[in-house]
Amino acid sequence: MEKELFKKIDTYKQTVIDLQTNMIALPAVSPHSDGEGENAKAAYLMSFLKQMKFDELYLINIKDPKAKDGVRPNIVAKYYGQNRKKTLWVMAHMDIVPPGDLSLWKTDPFKAVVKGDKIYGRGSEDNHQGVVSGILAAKALMDCGVRPPCNFALLLNADEELGSEYGICAIIKKYGKIFGKEDAFLVPDGGNPEGTMVEIAEKNMLWVKFTVSGTQTHASTPHSGINAHRVAAYLAVKLDDLYKKFNKKDKLFAPESGSTFEPTKREANVPNVNSIPGTDVFYLDCRILPCYKNADVLAEIAKIVKAVEKQHKAKIKMEVVINDLSRPTDKKEAVVQLTLQAVKAVYKNKPTLVGVGGGTVGAYFRNAGYPAVVSSKLYEVAHQPNEFSSIKNTLGDAKVFAMVSMNFK
C-alpha cells in the first residue's frame, strides 16, 4: 500500500506549485509586525480543503483586536482512520515573517517563481512546505481510498513566528479537548538539507535582564561615581561561572552538547563619551539541558549578582524575561521510531535523533504531555532573502507522513 501511496504523491508536482503560488501571494504577516494576519491565507486553504474528503474541517478563531476581522484563524482538518480515538497530527503554520530588505531579493517575495526544483517566495519553506506536504499526505490517502489505522489530521496554525499566543498556545489552553490521550504530533518546521534530523528534545530557555545602577559622573573623575558599565561588564564575565557549575553534556544536543549562558543584548546608556554611565542594562540568554532546573540556575545567578554588588558597591536588579521548560519526547515512543523508519525509507539516509537549543512549537505539545517529533528535509533558508522550497522535498515529506500514518496503530 505504501508503494501505491508514494506513486500517487509523485503525481502531485503541479499541486505543490499551485498551492505555493497561491499562498505566497497571500502574505500572512502578524498584525503585531504591521501585517494583517492569516485570514486571507486561511480562507484560501479552507476553500482548497473543502474540495477534499476530510471528515471534519473547521476553524478555531482566536481573538486578536489588531488582526483583520479581529481574529487569528487556525485550521483543523481530520480524516478518520480505523481507530477514531487515536490521531496522528501534522502541525504547520500559516504565518510568515516580513520580507526584510527588498533590495536583497532577486524576485518579488510575494510572487512565486519556479526554477527547476525550487519555488522562490517568502514563506515557501517556512512553513508552506510543511503545510503542503501535510495536505498531500492526506490527499494521497483519500485518492487511494485508504483509511489508515489512526486518524490523520492537519493543524494549520497562526502566530508561530511571534510566540504562538494566538495559535497553538491558545488552542491547547482553550480547546485542548480536541486532542486525545493517544495522539502524537509531527511538526515539519525544522530539519536539515540531508533530511536526517529527527528532533525530539529542546533545551530549557531562560532569559534574564540585568539593570546595573551605579552613580553617573564625569569621565575625568571616576572616583566620584560608580561606573555601571564596568560593573555590568564584570558581571557578564562572572556569569561564565555558570558553565562550570552546570557542566553536564548530552550528545543528543551536539554540537552544542552542554548548556549555554551567553550575554547578548545591551541597551544604550549615556549618549556622550565623556560621562561615566550610572545605569547599564544587558541580557543573558541561557539554553539549559533538561537535566537541570531553571530555578537552580536562577539561584546560582542570584549568588553571583550578590557577590558583584558587594564587591563594586552597585545595585543590580534581576528580571526574568523568559522562563520556559521543555519536556523531551521519549525516543521509544511509536511516533519517534516510525518517523526514523519512514525518513530512512523515503530519503535513503541515516536519520539521527537530536535535541536543539532553539525553541519550536514541538515544546508546547511535549509540555502538554504529547509525544512530538520535529522533522523535515529543508535547505534551511527560512527568514532569508530569496527564500525557496524544494518540490522534491515537499513530496518526500508527504511520503514520510503517509508512511508514519499507515503504521501508527
Side-chain angles (χ1 to χ4, degrees):
M1 192 67 247
E2 288 167 2
K3 289 183 179 180
E4 183 179 343
L5 289 169
F6 288 2
K7 287 182 180 180
K8 179 59 68 174
I9 289 171
D10 282 333
T11 68
Y12 294 153
K13 178 179 178 180
Q14 189 58 48
T15 305
V16 175
I17 296 172
D18 292 344
L19 283 166
Q20 282 277 20
T21 298
N22 284 288
M23 284 194 291
I24 289 171
L26 299 169
V29 175
S30 169
H32 301 271
S33 294
D34 300 321
E36 293 186 347
E38 301 84 359
N39 294 69
K41 186 175 291 182
Y44 163 69
L45 286 170
M46 284 294 286
S47 68
F48 185 91
L49 296 174
K50 285 178 181 178
Q51 300 174 42
M52 298 173 66
K53 300 175 183 178
F54 285 104
D55 299 292
E56 295 182 34
L57 178 62
Y58 56 92
L59 289 171
I60 297 178
N61 289 321
I62 306 300
K63 293 182 179 179
D64 182 355
K66 288 193 173 184
K68 185 178 181 181
D69 300 325
V71 297
R72 306 291 291 278
N74 298 266
I75 298 174
V76 174
K78 183 178 288 187
Y79 180 62
Y80 292 156
Q82 297 168 34
N83 178 4
R84 297 190 186 182
K85 294 182 179 181
K86 188 173 184 177
T87 302
L88 177 69
W89 295 84
V90 173
M91 183 275 178
H93 63 89
M94 297 180 286
D95 61 315
I96 64 169
V97 296
D101 187 348
L102 294 177
S103 68
L104 299 177
W105 284 80
K106 297 179 181 179
T107 63
D108 185 334
F110 298 122
K111 184 177 181 180
V113 175
V114 182
K115 295 183 179 180
D117 178 56
K118 298 176 181 178
I119 303 176
Y120 290 84
R122 175 55 88 222
S124 56
E125 184 175 79
D126 184 25
N127 191 218
H128 293 173
Q129 179 174 319
V131 172
V132 176
S133 58
I135 291 174
L136 296 188
K139 181 175 171 58
L141 293 169
M142 295 170 184
D143 288 350
C144 292
V146 177
R147 292 283 181 178
C150 64
N151 302 321
F152 183 87
L154 304 178
L155 185 59
L156 308 181
N157 286 144
D159 196 35
E160 186 274 344
E161 297 292 357
L162 290 186
S164 296
E165 178 182 355
Y166 304 98
I168 190 57
C169 289
I171 292 173
I172 290 175
K173 183 177 181 180
K174 298 180 180 180
Y175 303 92
K177 290 183 179 180
I178 69 172
F179 306 128
K181 294 181 180 180
E182 298 183 74
D183 291 4
F185 294 83
L186 288 173
V187 183
D189 196 19
N192 58 16
E194 297 76 30
T196 55
M197 190 183 97
V198 178
E199 185 255 287
I200 59 169
E202 299 174 21
K203 295 179 182 178
N204 299 334
M205 191 181 302
L206 178 66
W207 292 359
V208 183
K209 176 183 178 181
F210 299 94
T211 302
V212 180
S213 297
T215 304
Q216 184 171 329
T217 188
H218 196 283
S220 66
T221 58
H223 67 279
S224 63
I226 299 175
N227 192 326
H229 180 33
R230 174 177 278 112
V231 178
Y234 184 82
L235 174 60
V237 173
K238 283 297 294 179
L239 288 168
D240 277 354
D241 289 350
L242 295 169
Y243 278 103
K244 300 174 185 177
K245 178 74 174 181
F246 304 97
N247 59 5
K248 291 182 180 179
K249 304 290 184 181
D250 187 337
K251 62 182 181 180
L252 183 69
F253 291 88
E256 296 291 348
S257 58
S259 302
T260 59
F261 309 95
E262 291 298 311
T264 54
K265 177 182 176 181
R266 279 194 67 249
E267 295 183 1
N269 44 44
V270 292
N272 53 306
V273 175
N274 59 341
S275 285
I276 285 175
T279 302
D280 200 80
V281 179
F282 75 97
Y283 296 75
L284 185 73
D285 181 315
C286 308
R287 308 297 169 118
I288 304 163
L289 289 178
C291 63
Y292 293 118
K293 296 179 180 179
N294 286 11
D296 292 338
V297 175
L298 281 170
E300 189 65 24
I301 291 174
K303 289 180 183 179
I304 295 172
V305 165
K306 187 175 181 179
V308 173
E309 282 183 319
K310 183 177 180 180
Q311 181 178 353
H312 293 272
K313 298 179 174 60
K315 293 183 179 181
I316 304 173
K317 180 181 179 182
M318 278 176 55
E319 297 175 77
V320 176
V321 180
I322 289 179
N323 187 359
D324 290 340
L325 303 178
S326 180
R327 297 169 55 181
T329 295
D330 191 326
K331 64 181 180 182
K332 296 180 181 178
E333 287 283 353
V335 69
V336 176
Q337 294 302 314
L338 291 174
T339 300
L340 287 171
Q341 294 169 19
V343 169
K344 183 178 180 180
V346 171
Y347 291 119
K348 311 299 181 185
N349 60 14
K350 296 181 179 180
T352 305
L353 296 179
V354 302
V356 297
T360 76
V361 292
Y364 298 121
F365 297 119
R366 294 181 187 125
N367 290 341
Y370 301 103
V373 173
V374 179
S375 183
S376 187
K377 189 173 183 181
L378 301 171
Y379 279 96
E380 298 182 283
V381 291
H383 297 209
Q384 297 180 22
N386 306 302
E387 177 185 357
F388 65 87
S389 70
S390 160
I391 297 172
K392 289 181 181 178
N393 289 352
T394 305
L395 298 175
D397 286 353
K399 293 176 183 178
V400 170
F401 301 155
M403 185 173 175
V404 173
S405 73
M406 290 298 295
N407 294 281
F408 190 56
K409 302 175 181 179

